[in-house]
Amino acid sequence: MVQGRLPTRLGLACCLLLLGGSGGLGSRATPRGPWEEEQSPVAEGGPWDRVRYEAVKKHLGAVGALSKQYWQYLACKVWQEGCGEEEEESSPGPGWSLPLVGQDYLEILSTWYCSFGKCCKTGDCRIVNNITGLEADLNGQLHGQHLAKEVVIRVVQGFLQNPRPEKPLVLSFHGWSGTGKNFVARMVASHLYRDGLKSECVRVFISLFHFPHHKYVDSYKAQLKKQISETVQLCKQSLFIFDEAEKLHFSLLDAIKPFMAHYDNKGEVDYRRSIFLFLSNLGGNTINEVALDFWRAGRAREEISMEFLEQRLRLELQEPAESGYARSHFLKENLIDFFVPFLPLEYHHVKLCARDAFLARGLPYTEAALDEVARMMVFVPKEEKLFSAQGCKSVSQRINYFLP
């Protein structure tokens, strides 16, 4: 047993005493009043007292064995210890089994314990892959992004269900600031891993924060490759998020190409179950132009297809530019599986974001308040004033204006 776990295990043992010591989650011991005197186990009252004593002794022995069974079940669930032990060794007796109610309580207890730290030597035990929850939250909280919803849900689900993927999943999110790229990345992390962005299986890299100076790019390359390798060794299913990806030095993108390519090295670390998300403002103007053209033609934005927009997006990203995308071999080798466009947000989308911000803080709101928040935003182009220049990025801060 690891020494660091001892205090926590003692605390859990107390919980087990409550479970097992109460007669297996059901019976109640008759309380003794403070005026009653302590009596010896066998009173001098005759054979009936001895029979009662033997019955109580047998019951206490059974309770102790049941508590041991509870402990063995919990140790197996949380620390993967004692799972192979024979159940007969800890069985309270013929006809006894771990009550279903007790199992339910232990499931809750083990989940509660695991919420404070990892339960095994790798981070894989913290993976939940809650696709149903991801779909529900994207449908309820991501506004104006029918393409992003459809692609992320379908592609991530298909990847996780594939027992032998040929390569890691690589998605590149594109669009203006505030349209939901970071929001979706956080949501993916929170539904695939119990600890979300804090999980040991998740690594977030922000270009100008983690790699600010080009003169240190060689050092950055070594550090980046080391962190990716160590993370995948800890968690076969790892998630890597690169924010402001267009500002990454092109040699950094080239350095991580092997991690995203088709896997053919059987003797090395297997990266095929990893997911890479690149978040970029590149392509935002092209996406906005398409959305504006549809609006001017009287067509709904939901008519914009993935095929139509992704082709234009690829062409823009491949044009000569100063971005790392264009200068690296990242695009030329087709390592990105999907370019996910995030459309510009309109007035009614901003109102929905404001509503969510009020609800997230438990604050009441009115339609007038939502309209007021939306009117605070800057809308472009100058003639139509159709799209929010900041998306929903500063909405949560603006509702502070309405607080007493």
Side-chain angles (χ1 to χ4, degrees):
M1 181 183 297
V2 180
Q3 263 188 336
R5 291 176 176 165
L6 184 57
T8 307
R9 292 192 176 186
L10 289 176
L12 292 176
C14 294
C15 297
L16 293 178
L17 288 177
L18 294 176
L19 292 173
S22 61
L25 290 172
S27 63
R28 291 175 177 264
T30 304
R32 184 179 60 210
W35 58 86
E36 295 185 36
E37 298 180 359
E38 292 288 343
Q39 295 185 3
S40 61
V42 183
E44 297 179 0
W48 285 110
D49 291 319
R50 179 167 296 279
V51 170
R52 184 171 58 182
Y53 165 68
E54 292 296 335
V56 170
K57 180 180 178 182
K58 182 178 179 180
H59 174 71
L60 290 176
V63 168
L66 182 60
S67 296
K68 181 179 178 182
Q69 193 176 14
Y70 276 120
W71 175 257
Q72 181 177 324
Y73 182 88
L74 182 65
C76 177
K77 289 288 295 180
V78 175
W79 300 288
Q80 289 78 50
E81 296 177 3
C83 300
E85 296 180 9
E86 294 294 331
E87 292 185 4
E88 288 78 4
E89 296 180 4
S90 59
S91 176
W96 284 69
S97 64
L98 193 62
L100 292 178
V101 177
Q103 292 185 35
D104 292 339
Y105 275 97
L106 284 174
E107 290 287 348
I108 297 172
L109 185 59
S110 62
T111 301
W112 169 81
Y113 172 77
C114 288
S115 68
F116 294 97
K118 67 178 185 179
C119 303
C120 55
K121 295 179 181 179
T122 70
D124 293 328
C125 64
R126 311 288 291 168
I127 296 173
V128 293
N129 289 344
N130 182 10
I131 297 299
T132 301
L134 176 62
E135 182 175 7
D137 281 354
L138 286 177
N139 286 329
Q141 301 178 40
L142 182 65
H143 308 299
Q145 305 298 350
H146 68 286
L147 294 176
K149 289 179 185 178
E150 180 181 2
V151 173
V152 170
I153 294 172
R154 183 175 299 178
V155 171
V156 172
Q157 183 176 28
F159 176 76
L160 295 178
Q161 290 177 346
N162 186 354
R164 295 181 180 275
E166 296 181 356
K167 64 181 290 295
L169 176 63
V170 184
L171 304 179
S172 191
F173 295 173
H174 296 271
W176 266 6
S177 177
T179 51
K181 301 185 298 294
N182 277 281
F183 183 72
V184 173
R186 291 196 304 270
M187 198 172 287
V188 169
S190 65
H191 285 89
L192 298 192
Y193 304 92
R194 190 189 303 274
D195 305 314
L197 292 177
K198 296 181 180 180
S199 172
E200 293 179 328
C201 302
V202 179
R203 290 290 179 269
V204 179
F205 302 99
I206 304 173
S207 297
L208 295 183
F209 180 77
H210 292 98
F211 319 110
H213 305 294
H214 287 178
K215 62 181 178 179
Y216 300 128
V217 68
D218 289 335
S219 176
Y220 295 153
K221 287 163 60 176
Q223 294 174 15
L224 181 57
K225 290 191 288 187
K226 180 181 178 183
Q227 290 187 45
I228 292 177
S229 297
E230 291 177 347
T231 303
V232 176
Q233 288 176 16
L234 180 66
C235 309
K236 291 182 179 179
Q237 180 187 305
S238 299
L239 174 63
F240 302 99
I241 302 172
F242 292 85
D243 197 7
E244 301 177 340
E246 74 278 3
K247 298 173 184 175
L248 283 171
H249 194 277
F250 70 92
S251 62
L252 285 176
L253 288 172
D254 285 339
I256 61 177
K257 284 192 308 177
F259 299 110
M260 296 176 284
H262 284 74
Y263 179 82
D264 56 6
N265 299 320
K266 296 182 179 179
E268 299 180 3
V269 179
D270 189 349
Y271 298 94
R272 288 176 294 179
R273 297 228 64 88
S274 301
I275 300 175
F276 290 81
L277 302 181
F278 293 88
L279 283 52
S280 172
N281 292 338
L282 284 179
N285 291 335
T286 295
I287 295 171
N288 294 353
E289 288 173 4
V290 171
L292 185 59
D293 290 342
F294 269 69
W295 182 82
R296 286 172 174 168
R299 302 175 63 183
R301 62 193 281 137
E302 287 73 22
E303 295 182 39
I304 302 174
S305 68
M306 185 69 183
E307 294 75 19
F308 177 77
L309 195 48
E310 191 179 25
Q311 289 178 1
R312 294 197 176 194
L313 196 53
R314 283 180 180 270
L315 290 175
E316 180 179 340
L317 296 178
Q318 291 172 352
E319 291 179 0
E322 293 301 316
S323 72
Y325 269 77
R327 297 181 63 186
S328 72
H329 293 83
F330 198 57
L331 300 178
K332 298 175 184 177
E333 298 183 14
N334 297 315
L335 297 180
I336 298 177
D337 298 304
F338 288 91
F339 294 88
V340 184
F342 283 72
L343 302 173
L345 299 181
E346 300 175 11
Y347 184 89
H348 65 283
H349 299 133
V350 176
K351 286 184 62 177
L352 291 172
C353 291
R355 180 205 64 186
D356 293 346
F358 276 105
L359 292 175
R361 297 175 64 173
L363 299 173
Y365 66 89
T366 63
E367 284 297 317
L370 300 184
D371 279 315
E372 187 65 25
V373 172
R375 283 196 292 266
M376 289 180 176
M377 310 298 285
V378 176
F379 288 84
V380 293
K382 187 176 181 180
E383 297 79 17
E384 290 89 350
K385 296 187 181 301
L386 181 62
F387 304 131
S388 171
Q390 298 172 281
C392 285
K393 197 162 190 176
S394 63
V395 165
S396 61
Q397 286 77 23
R398 292 177 185 267
I399 66 172
N400 293 329
Y401 177 79
F402 297 90
L403 300 182

